[in-house]
Amino acid sequence: MAAKIKKGDTVVVLTGRDKGKSGEVIQVLPADNKALVRGINMVRRHQKQTQSQEAGIVSKEAPIHLSNIALADPKDGKASRVGFKVQDDGAKVRVAKRSGDLIDG
């Protein structure tokens, strides 16, 4: 099955403490049905000192379930479902159901 949400997509959070916020997908974890979104679902973790990193409390993104995010419509930035369309040249492309616009990527 083709992926509906890919790295680099702009998504909107539907539920949870970050509801309504949007961000860019950094990484998709298909095995867990989760994604990392820049600036969303931030958690604070204690970090041991390493050769390259200082010790202390660091903030980083935690994975968020794919069911709790929706692709942002390219036209107005609101949450939209994703559909697929086969173009005349045979290429399968993602389409925003809300506006019918093509999704880049």
Side-chain angles (χ1 to χ4, degrees):
M1 189 183 115
K4 293 193 174 187
I5 293 178
K6 296 182 177 181
K7 180 178 175 179
D9 286 346
T10 303
V11 294
V12 179
V13 181
L14 303 176
T15 57
R17 66 173 181 221
D18 290 325
K19 180 178 179 176
K21 291 184 184 175
S22 62
E24 181 193 348
V25 176
I26 304 167
Q27 182 184 8
V28 180
L29 310 164
D32 303 328
N33 281 326
K34 294 186 176 196
L36 284 174
V37 183
R38 180 161 293 136
I40 302 295
N41 200 20
M42 297 298 285
V43 292
R44 291 164 66 81
R45 292 285 179 256
H46 289 267
Q47 182 75 42
K48 239 183 188 178
Q49 186 166 352
T50 62
Q51 204 167 12
S52 60
Q53 196 159 14
E54 198 65 33
I57 301 171
V58 295
S59 287
K60 62 180 184 178
E61 293 92 355
I64 185 168
H65 200 273
L66 292 176
S67 66
N68 296 332
I69 57 178
L71 201 97
D73 194 309
K75 203 170 259 182
D76 58 11
K78 293 183 180 174
S80 172
R81 296 196 314 266
V82 180
F84 292 94
K85 191 183 278 185
V86 179
Q87 290 184 315
D88 297 332
D89 61 355
K92 187 177 180 184
V93 292
R94 296 182 300 156
V95 177
K97 290 269 192 172
R98 185 179 171 89
S99 64
D101 279 10
L102 278 151
I103 298 161
D104 301 327

